[in-house]
Amino acid sequence: MRKFTSLASLMLVGLLVVGCSNSANKELEESSAQDLYTKGQTYLQDGDYNSAIRYLDAVGTKGGQQSAFGEQTQLSLIYANYKVGEYYKALDAAERFVRAYPNSASMDYVYYLAGLSNARLGDNFIQDFFGVNRASRALDSVRNAYGSFQTIVQHYPQSKYAQDAKNWMGYLINRMAEHELAIVKFYDDREAYVAVVNRVEEMMRFYPESKPTYEALAYMQKAYEQIGIKDSAEKVAALIEANKDKSFPEIIKPEYSEQF
């Protein structure tokens, strides 16, 4: 009898869940764009981001994207998806926003959230370097994050996000240089000396002031020596000597800001 009661309870709970789900879906279908928007914003303010996304997504089905609150709906969707860790969805929403509202006064905010989303996706990519597929994708995220923050600094210098964007740029460019140094070491271990030279040359072109680039010079010198190009090896040795007392600022990862 007890087993039967338990089973009946489970069935009742299941029916209640289905009933609630159907009720919620009915509300989404029958509510106006204005009502959906208002409820979505209420959920957003309460920190219930998943519910906010459901209601704000539904605004578009009612033609709300073309309404007076369409722009704010999209901004809220970018933010809500970022907050729940749906970074690719946040980036998709940001891309749609840039296309739909190119002259928006909130463009710096959109680029900032896009930068943070890509930075999140790029976390720990150096540790995952040898998992090639993931590392390659994560490096793209780091580059994209850098590009978003650079856009803020160059085009919206008065933005309240500009200083944090600068901090992220310094950190991300150093991470990209560290990634290149890891590749240089990989090639050096396999005695692929031509590849070492080519990679360090790229580092000198793109990350000339970074500590990883300076550290890579020793591998370049060794590579030239092993290849037998002694004059180039001597030039690199002179460059190392000229920069031996150079100091590099400590690179600290910025905090993921909550200032939105």
Side-chain angles (χ1 to χ4, degrees):
M1 182 65 180
R2 190 173 300 169
K3 288 183 179 179
F4 176 79
T5 302
S6 298
L7 180 59
S9 298
L10 288 172
M11 291 176 65
L12 179 60
V13 169
L15 290 171
L16 287 172
V17 170
V18 171
C20 291
S21 177
N22 289 336
S23 176
N25 290 334
K26 186 177 181 181
E27 181 183 12
L28 292 175
E29 292 172 2
E30 296 181 352
S31 296
S32 67
Q34 178 66 67
D35 287 341
L36 291 170
Y37 172 78
T38 300
K39 288 183 179 180
Q41 291 298 330
T42 299
Y43 281 125
L44 195 71
Q45 293 299 319
D46 292 342
D48 186 350
Y49 302 114
N50 284 306
S51 293
I53 290 168
R54 289 179 62 240
Y55 278 82
L56 293 170
D57 267 336
V59 171
T61 67
K62 306 288 184 175
Q65 305 298 11
Q66 286 73 46
S67 68
F69 46 83
E71 182 175 342
Q72 185 57 51
T73 297
Q74 289 304 303
L75 288 172
S76 298
L77 278 170
I78 299 169
Y79 174 71
N81 277 296
Y82 173 78
K83 291 296 288 184
V84 298
E86 292 285 358
Y87 303 121
Y88 286 114
K89 289 183 179 179
L91 289 167
D92 287 342
E95 186 176 343
R96 290 196 301 273
F97 186 93
V98 171
R99 290 198 304 266
Y101 308 101
N103 299 315
S104 172
S106 301
M107 199 63 75
D108 60 333
Y109 173 76
V110 173
Y111 279 113
Y112 186 64
L113 281 176
L116 292 181
S117 295
N118 268 311
R120 293 277 194 183
L121 290 170
D123 277 346
N124 301 321
F125 84 95
I126 289 178
Q127 291 87 334
D128 296 329
F129 169 63
F130 294 106
V132 178
N133 291 334
R134 181 176 175 184
S136 177
R137 191 173 188 180
L139 181 58
D140 285 342
S141 295
V142 172
R143 287 171 176 157
N144 290 337
Y146 182 88
S148 291
F149 292 129
Q150 186 179 48
T151 297
I152 295 172
V153 171
Q154 291 180 348
H155 297 284
Y156 309 98
Q158 303 305 315
S159 168
K160 68 177 182 178
Y161 307 112
Q163 184 57 56
D164 201 38
K166 287 180 183 178
N167 296 339
W168 273 104
M169 285 175 66
Y171 169 73
L172 292 170
I173 201 166
N174 191 71
R175 286 190 68 194
M176 289 187 280
E178 287 178 343
H179 176 74
E180 293 301 310
L181 179 59
I183 295 174
V184 168
K185 292 177 179 179
F186 176 83
Y187 286 141
D188 178 74
D189 287 342
R190 284 150 183 78
E191 300 180 355
Y193 297 119
V194 173
V196 168
V197 170
N198 291 337
R199 211 76 192 200
V200 179
E201 284 180 345
E202 287 188 8
M203 292 180 71
M204 294 171 71
R205 186 179 306 116
F206 294 110
Y207 319 111
E209 300 301 320
S210 73
K211 185 177 180 181
T213 298
Y214 176 74
E215 293 175 352
L217 292 175
Y219 294 94
M220 189 182 214
Q221 179 187 353
K222 174 186 172 183
Y224 276 130
E225 290 171 348
Q226 293 296 322
I227 295 170
I229 308 178
K230 297 194 179 299
D231 58 336
S232 294
E234 290 172 358
K235 289 178 182 178
V236 177
L239 187 59
I240 293 172
E241 179 64 22
N243 288 277
K244 68 178 182 180
D245 296 324
K246 186 173 183 176
S247 60
F248 297 91
E250 182 182 3
I251 303 297
I252 300 174
K253 182 179 180 180
E255 297 289 335
Y256 282 106
S257 175
E258 295 299 326
Q259 57 159 341
F260 301 120

